[in-house]
Amino acid sequence: MSTLAWFSIASLAVWLWLLLGQGFFWRTDQRLPRRRRPSPERWPRVAVVVPARDEAEVLPMSLPSLLAQDYPGEAEVFLVDDGSTDGTGKLAVELAGRDDGLPLTVVSPGEPEPGWTGKLWALRHGMALARARGPEFLLLTDADIAHEPDSLRRLVAAAVDGDLDLVSQMARLRVESAWERLVVPAFVYFFAQLYPFRWINRPRRPLATAAAGGCVLLRTETAVAAGVPEAIRQAVIDDVSLARAVRRAGGRIWLGLAERVDSVRPYPGLGELWRMVARSAYAQLRHNPLLLVGTVAGLVLVYLVPPVALVAGGRGGDAVAAWAGGAAWAVMAGTYLPMLRYYRQPLWLAPLLPFTAFLYLLMTVDSAVRHHRGRGAAWKGRTYARPEAAPDR
């Protein structure tokens, strides 16, 4: 057999293993229960903490949804203005004054101290203020996340019913532009492939740990026991770091896809999406060149070899390469269909996944190049030259 045939067979073998042996990552059924369970006898007090930096564009679409929560217990919102220059804090106060809703407190902690990333510095300040009010749960949610009116109630009910310490939902990202349709569903697909939700939600698999930072309900006493956010103050991938800290403290976690929580942040062009991925991709690889090489090689084998083998094998008369490559490509596209359905996108996008994976490969390499040039992870006017990856211990 030809070298191409061997590579195509290897790719097919990997895809068969991913299909059956990677926690059924491609399924999209890990979600909060749709049927309303019996209400808790007592609804716990909740404090909502929203770190915000230059979010005036999206705040009118997100903050009112938080203030309008129909939560049966006591709840209040703390928006931490992290050095915004666009009037984010002032706008938040104006939005809260337009309608009755949950109480809002707007504070600003000043510039981060050395060793802290901006978001975690803001969370530190907001969580400290919130804990002074004695909440049993903290909802940590980004300023670009819009919540349906029953979102907080469903999150708390899930945590109380399941005796969970951390309940996190992967917010449904905006998918409107052509580039968003091509890149965004794949972003969640790749995340689920790396962190299979089913494994994360099983207490007997402690090494499978992750969260989605846009929407995290955290038990306050568990946060104190885990030492967060101080224990993860340098993390760029703060959601995974948070989940690992909670797991190390003995907490039970749950992660799923959201139906009632949406990101309103637009990524209309490839440049915005590229920066979103590149700012943390190399941090995920712990800034390790060997892991980078292995990741690039893996992406080539798993995503690029199948279409190349099908086309080249078909043209060159290499039946084995063409057959194995086509079969691997078919399995790949088939596992992507549930995510496209979840995002309500046309299913013909599934065969384009190799092209999207190639874009992610380039974004990952660019992330490493930025790091080694001293630019590190850049976000909202701040650059972290040597950010910490999510710690394992």
Side-chain angles (χ1 to χ4, degrees):
M1 288 192 300
S2 67
T3 301
L4 182 60
W6 281 113
F7 275 113
S8 62
I9 290 174
S11 181
L12 176 59
V14 172
W15 272 111
L16 292 176
W17 175 78
L18 288 172
L19 176 68
L20 302 174
Q22 188 64 4
F24 294 100
F25 76 94
W26 42 272
R27 297 185 61 172
T28 58
D29 56 353
Q30 295 297 293
R31 310 187 198 184
L32 292 181
R34 290 188 179 184
R35 289 187 301 176
R36 182 175 297 179
R37 298 181 178 182
S39 300
E41 295 181 1
R42 182 185 62 83
W43 287 92
R45 186 185 182 100
V46 180
V48 182
V49 181
V50 185
R53 178 174 172 83
D54 291 336
E55 299 286 11
E57 179 184 1
V58 298
L59 212 59
M61 296 177 283
S62 60
L63 183 59
S65 73
L66 278 174
L67 301 176
Q69 289 297 300
D70 64 357
Y71 185 65
E74 294 184 69
E76 58 184 316
V77 180
F78 296 84
L79 186 137
V80 186
D81 184 3
D82 181 22
S84 299
T85 59
D86 65 350
T88 290
K90 181 180 178 182
L91 176 60
V93 174
E94 293 175 357
L95 291 171
R98 294 177 185 176
D99 299 293
D100 293 332
L102 299 183
L104 173 70
T105 300
V106 178
V107 294
S108 180
E111 285 298 304
E113 292 181 356
W116 286 82
T117 61
K119 178 180 177 180
L120 289 170
W121 176 251
L123 282 177
R124 174 182 181 269
H125 196 76
M127 290 171 68
L129 288 175
R131 284 200 297 262
R133 309 291 179 91
E136 295 179 50
F137 285 94
L138 301 164
L139 174 60
L140 313 179
T141 184
D142 289 347
D144 65 333
I145 302 298
H147 295 253
E148 293 294 328
D150 62 348
S151 172
L152 180 58
R153 175 162 44 85
R154 295 183 68 197
L155 284 165
V156 172
V160 172
D161 291 344
D163 192 24
L164 298 168
D165 297 281
L166 185 153
V167 178
S168 178
Q169 292 188 93
M170 177 74 73
R172 200 190 302 262
L173 305 176
R174 197 190 89 142
V175 180
E176 295 183 12
S177 71
W179 284 112
E180 286 172 336
R181 292 188 177 94
L182 187 66
V183 174
V184 167
F187 176 83
V188 183
Y189 173 88
F190 293 143
F191 183 90
Q193 189 178 80
L194 188 61
Y195 303 106
F197 293 0
R198 287 173 175 268
W199 286 358
I200 289 169
N201 298 339
R202 294 176 184 173
R204 289 177 292 181
R205 300 192 73 104
L207 297 181
T209 306
C215 178
V216 176
L217 183 73
L218 177 63
R219 197 179 295 270
T220 305
E221 63 179 3
T222 304
V224 173
V228 296
E230 287 80 6
I232 59 172
R233 60 186 177 275
Q234 288 184 298
V236 171
I237 309 175
D238 53 88
D239 44 12
V240 176
S241 298
L242 171 62
R244 288 178 177 171
V246 168
R247 185 84 90 178
R248 288 196 304 270
R252 296 185 61 194
I253 68 175
W254 184 91
L255 171 64
L257 294 172
E259 293 180 312
R260 313 282 288 168
V261 179
D262 299 280
S263 173
V264 297
R265 187 181 304 282
Y267 293 99
L270 180 60
E272 293 89 348
L273 290 162
W274 191 290
R275 286 188 290 273
M276 177 190 73
V277 176
R279 72 186 180 94
S280 60
Y282 197 43
Q284 181 63 57
L285 300 177
R286 304 171 191 174
H287 310 104
N288 188 321
L290 293 179
L291 287 178
L292 174 65
V293 172
T295 298
V296 170
L299 287 171
V300 170
L301 175 66
V302 175
Y303 289 99
L304 303 187
V305 164
V308 170
L310 176 61
V311 174
R315 289 182 176 179
D318 190 336
V320 175
W323 175 85
W329 197 358
V331 175
M332 179 198 316
T335 62
Y336 193 36
L337 291 176
M339 190 61 68
L340 289 173
R341 290 193 185 98
Y342 169 73
Y343 271 98
R344 307 183 186 97
Q345 296 303 303
L347 301 186
W348 58 260
L349 289 171
L352 300 182
L353 188 57
F355 175 71
T356 305
F358 179 64
L359 290 178
Y360 274 88
L361 185 156
L362 296 179
M363 294 172 190
T364 302
V365 172
D366 182 49
S367 179
V369 170
R370 295 184 186 201
H371 171 79
H372 288 291
R373 287 181 176 177
R375 288 183 289 168
W379 189 247
K380 296 291 183 72
R382 290 194 181 117
T383 299
Y384 306 102
R386 296 189 62 84
E388 296 291 336
D392 286 320
R393 53 188 176 83

